[in-house]
């Protein structure tokens, strides 16, 4: 059989050989951007004829499913390192599995259009669209600035990549009940805000993010000084570098699980995004955001939550390419170094609360402790037991308690 196959392959025209080689190379690249399929997929065999030779062809059902990987203690130890792992985002969330299924009969078993119709009205709690700087921002707002309602001040919540302001919904609701006026925008390129193409007024650089945030705060009439809450990678870090440039506008600063020192690890997702071709494949994974959240936490997202984090990436290619451009332009180490130096004792005296999820799989607790040592007078460290990379999503009640105590 093998000799017959090789003989048939040798007889193929050279143009077909080139095409087969190209398809093989593309398939190899895609293997790195998709999770590995289960090994026990049902297999059947069919035959086809190539230049008179009968060739056995194995086929499998076109259903992909994700299973949580169980590892030994030895491999668990390896997972704690910062080595690059292209298959590091696995989940057993049934919602994630349904998002990447390729049904045998799409018309009968559901398709992307039906899924969008089912979830497109989710995830917009307390939100509305605001025009600022030529772009349309999606901004969540709770509470009021009306002095008669006893406002205790304004709090602005900034999310990190690749997520959105939806993660703050519970915290914002209860902080409003406590008398605070809260805003949480989706950064440009994320969530429900605009995702402009690079070269058309926005190139996803730190400078542009700072400029657009300034304009948005003016439109929202956020009065200084206010409390700034920041969490997450990339645009989360830009929230901190914005604070360093505008110290007089900040009354208090709250940091949750954000790179704070040059020793902060860089997750595999952002490493993949910076690799040519592989980054283009990775950024178009519709379940990228929910997988990133689950991989950084001890918990699996409920289906209704996973739907919202997935929705922007499912609706169009724009969010993925926006994330790709932002990831290419940031210098993670330099930005973390700027943050570590900028908030040291001799340069920053405004109170800082570091509310840190202890079960973060991306950023260890030692990062927060190292940051506190740089400015022990201004920095208060509050460890949140049970919470992972996104404490506001994992355990919002504990975040609210920490904020109320600090503010």
């Amino acid at each position: 059989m093998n000799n017959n196959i090789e003989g048939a392959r040798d007889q193929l025209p050279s143009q077909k050989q080139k095409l087969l080689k190209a398809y093989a190379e593309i398939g190899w690249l895609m293997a790195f951007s998709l999770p590995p399929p289960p090994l026990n997929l049902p297999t059947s065999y069919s035959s086809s004829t190539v230049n008179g030779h009968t060739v056995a062809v194995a086929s499998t059902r076109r259903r992909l499913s994700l299973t949580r990987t169980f590892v030994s203690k030895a491999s668990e130890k390896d997972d704690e390192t910062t080595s690059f792992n292209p298959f590091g985002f696995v989940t057993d969330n049934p919602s994630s599995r349904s998002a990447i299924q390729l049904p045998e009969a799409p018309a009968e078993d559901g398709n992307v259009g039906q899924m969008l119709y089912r979830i497109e009205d989710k995830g917009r709690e307390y939100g509305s669209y605001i025009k600022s700087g030529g772009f349309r921002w999606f901004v969540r707002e709770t509470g009021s600035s009306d002095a008669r309602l006893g406002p205790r001040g304004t709090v602005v919540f900034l999310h990190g990549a690749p997520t959105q302001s939806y993660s703050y919904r519970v915290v914002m609701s209860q902080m409003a009940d406590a008398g605070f006026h809260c805003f949480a925008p989706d950064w440009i390129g994320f969530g429900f805000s605009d995702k402009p193409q690079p070269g058309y007024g926005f190139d996803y650089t730190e400078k542009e993010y700072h400029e657009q945030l300034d304009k948005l705060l003016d439109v929202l009439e956020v009065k200084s000084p206010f409390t700034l809450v920041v969490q997450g990678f990339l645009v989360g870090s830009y929230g901190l570098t914005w604070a360093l440039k505008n110290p007089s506008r900040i009354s208090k600063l709250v940091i949750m699980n954000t790179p704070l020192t040059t020793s902060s690890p860089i997750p595999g997702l952002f490493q993949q995004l910076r690799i040519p071709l592989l980054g283009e494949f990775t950024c178009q994974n519709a379940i990228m955001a929910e997988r990133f959240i689950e991989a950084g936490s001890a918990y699996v997202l409920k289906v209704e939550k996973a739907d919202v984090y997935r929705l922007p990436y499912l609706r169009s290619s724009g969010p993925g390419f926006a994330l790709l451009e932002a990831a290419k332009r940031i210098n993670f180490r330099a930005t973390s170094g700027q943050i570590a130096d900028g908030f040291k004792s001799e340069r920053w005296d405004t109170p800082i609360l570091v509310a840190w999820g202890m079960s973060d799989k991306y950023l260890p607790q030692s990062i927060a402790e190292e940051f506190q040592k740089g400015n022990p007078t201004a920095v208060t460290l509050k460890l949140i037991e049970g919470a992972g990379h996104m404490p506001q999503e994992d355990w919002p009640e504990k975040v609210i308690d920490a904020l109320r105590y600090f503010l």
Side-chain angles (χ1 to χ4, degrees):
M1 175 63 75
N2 290 338
N3 291 335
N4 291 338
I5 294 175
E6 293 297 331
R9 183 180 300 162
D10 291 340
Q11 296 176 29
L12 289 174
S14 59
Q15 185 63 28
K16 287 187 177 181
Q17 289 178 349
K18 292 179 180 179
L19 288 173
L20 287 173
K21 182 178 179 182
Y23 292 154
E25 292 175 348
I26 293 173
W28 176 251
L29 287 171
M30 290 183 68
F32 284 93
S33 62
L34 292 173
L39 297 178
N40 60 347
L41 288 175
T43 303
S44 60
Y45 290 87
S46 59
S47 62
S48 61
T49 302
V50 179
N51 286 6
H53 295 272
T54 300
V55 181
V57 180
S59 63
T60 61
R61 291 182 61 190
R62 297 182 61 214
R63 257 184 212 281
L64 297 177
S65 64
L66 293 175
T67 57
R68 183 169 298 279
T69 303
F70 292 91
V71 294
S72 63
K73 290 184 178 180
S75 60
E76 285 178 352
K77 182 177 180 182
D78 292 339
D79 289 342
E80 296 175 358
T81 66
T82 59
S83 59
F84 173 55
N85 177 11
F87 303 122
F89 303 95
V90 294
T91 177
D92 63 358
N93 190 346
S95 178
S96 298
R97 291 201 300 270
S98 68
I100 64 166
Q101 279 187 344
L102 300 176
E104 293 177 336
E108 299 176 4
D109 202 16
N111 54 40
V112 172
Q114 292 171 340
M115 185 181 299
L116 284 172
Y117 179 78
R118 175 171 60 87
I119 65 177
E120 63 182 0
D121 60 340
K122 292 184 178 181
R124 291 178 170 83
E125 289 88 341
Y126 320 118
S128 62
Y129 287 98
I130 304 294
K131 192 76 173 180
S132 170
F135 300 108
R136 192 175 67 154
W137 291 70
F138 184 79
V139 182
R140 301 174 197 272
E141 180 181 7
T142 60
S144 172
S145 59
D146 192 336
R148 293 172 298 175
L149 301 178
R152 298 177 57 187
T154 300
V155 184
V156 175
F157 296 86
L158 299 179
H159 69 85
T163 62
Q164 52 176 289
S165 63
Y166 174 74
S167 64
Y168 288 115
R169 66 200 177 282
V170 178
V171 174
M172 291 181 65
S173 174
Q174 296 195 30
M175 290 299 289
D177 292 341
F180 293 93
H181 189 197
C182 304
F183 294 99
D186 286 346
W187 284 105
I188 296 296
F190 295 86
F192 300 106
S193 291
D194 279 351
K195 293 97 179 167
Q197 293 185 13
Y200 290 84
F202 197 80
D203 288 326
Y204 299 94
T205 63
E206 178 185 33
K207 181 176 181 292
E208 290 171 316
Y209 272 117
H210 287 176
E211 291 173 349
Q212 293 302 324
L213 180 59
D214 282 330
K215 295 176 182 178
L216 177 65
L217 293 176
D218 289 341
V219 172
L220 295 176
E221 298 183 348
V222 173
K223 305 300 181 183
S224 301
F226 62 90
T227 297
L228 179 65
V229 180
V230 175
Q231 185 274 327
F233 287 92
L234 210 161
V235 284
S237 296
Y238 288 165
L240 292 181
T241 55
W242 181 90
L244 289 174
K245 294 180 179 179
N246 298 272
S248 63
R249 301 188 66 178
I250 306 297
S251 59
K252 291 185 178 181
L253 177 63
V254 180
I255 304 172
M256 295 189 294
N257 297 72
T258 302
L260 298 175
T261 68
T262 54
S263 57
S264 300
I266 303 174
L269 169 63
F270 300 111
Q271 297 183 47
Q272 291 183 48
L273 289 170
R274 295 162 72 90
I275 298 175
L277 295 182
L278 179 57
E280 279 73 7
F281 281 112
T282 300
C283 76
Q284 294 306 308
N285 188 337
I287 62 171
M288 170 176 51
E290 67 197 77
R291 291 170 75 187
F292 183 83
I293 295 170
E294 291 181 331
S297 169
Y299 308 104
V300 173
L301 285 172
K302 292 183 178 179
V303 172
E304 59 269 21
K305 296 179 184 178
D307 280 345
V308 177
Y309 286 112
R310 178 192 315 134
L311 180 58
Y313 299 93
L314 196 62
R315 294 181 65 180
S316 76
S317 62
F321 284 117
L323 176 63
L324 178 68
E325 294 299 325
K328 285 181 176 179
R329 283 163 171 73
I330 188 174
N331 185 325
F332 285 99
R333 300 296 184 196
T335 301
S336 296
Q338 179 185 353
I339 291 169
D341 292 339
F343 288 106
K344 285 183 177 179
S345 298
E346 63 274 14
R347 299 180 181 179
W348 184 273
D349 56 7
T350 301
I352 300 175
L353 171 65
V354 177
W356 201 264
M358 297 174 64
S359 300
D360 191 340
K361 304 295 181 61
Y362 300 127
L363 297 169
Q365 180 179 322
S366 59
I367 300 296
E369 294 170 343
E370 181 183 351
F371 180 76
Q372 184 189 33
K373 290 179 181 178
N375 192 342
T377 303
V379 177
T380 299
L381 176 59
K382 171 64 175 178
L383 299 177
I384 303 180
E385 186 176 0
H389 180 62
M390 293 176 61
Q392 72 272 30
E393 183 67 79
D394 290 345
W395 216 306
E397 298 82 3
K398 291 186 178 181
V399 172
I400 293 163
D401 289 342
L403 290 176
R404 286 177 174 174
Y405 176 81
F406 181 66
L407 301 180

